[in-house]
Amino acid sequence: QVQLVESGGGSVQAGGSLTLSCTASKFTYDTYSMAWFRQAPGKLREGVAAIDSDGFTTYRESVKGRFTISRDVAKTTLYLQMNSLKPEDTAIYYCAADPRYTLERRQHFGYGLGTGAMDYWGTGAMVIVSS
């Protein structure tokens, strides 16, 4: 059973930085995409950034230039480096994995940075950014 476990959440002042980690166990797929989503109170879950097995990345517009997604294949760990944080970044951040498609294929099928085809999910890490 694949398990995704997030860590690294916390509270920070606006302009600060945090790094989230997601450790994947029993995730042995060769072709995949992994992503970070977030959900603020009263709002829908939204995709933040994704990376695939070929190393390609994509970001939602509001975090471009501030957030960086990366992965350590050997450690099967996904990261999200978040800089210049804003109060509107406050949310629960979730790690997710699509065990079938690269980002190009996800775009082809219309999934993009959406939750479609993301079969595996972590339980979330809270990020609070105060002004």
Side-chain angles (χ1 to χ4, degrees), residues 3-4 10 24 28-29 31 40 56 79 83 89 97 105 109 113 121:
Q3 280 193 319
L4 304 177
T28 57
Y29 301 92
T31 300
F56 292 106
Y79 301 98
N83 298 325
D89 295 317
R105 297 310 290 168
F109 290 122
L113 258 181
W121 290 85

Side-chain angles (χ1 to χ4, degrees), residues 50-66:
I51 189 168
D52 68 15
S53 45
D54 293 330
F56 292 106
T57 60
T58 189
Y59 297 88
R60 73 179 299 107
E61 197 63 37
S62 62
V63 307
K64 283 181 180 178
R66 300 189 299 123

Side-chain angles (χ1 to χ4, degrees), residues 4 36 38 69 71 122 129:
L4 304 177
W36 290 97
R38 66 187 181 187
I69 190 170
R71 60 191 171 94
V129 184

Side-chain angles (χ1 to χ4, degrees), residues 1-2 9 19 21 32 37 42 47 54 69 71 74 77 92 94 96 99 108 110 127:
Q1 180 79 4
V2 172
T19 299
S21 300
Y32 61 85
F37 291 79
D54 293 330
I69 190 170
R71 60 191 171 94
T77 303
I92 299 174
Y94 298 90
H108 172 77
V127 171

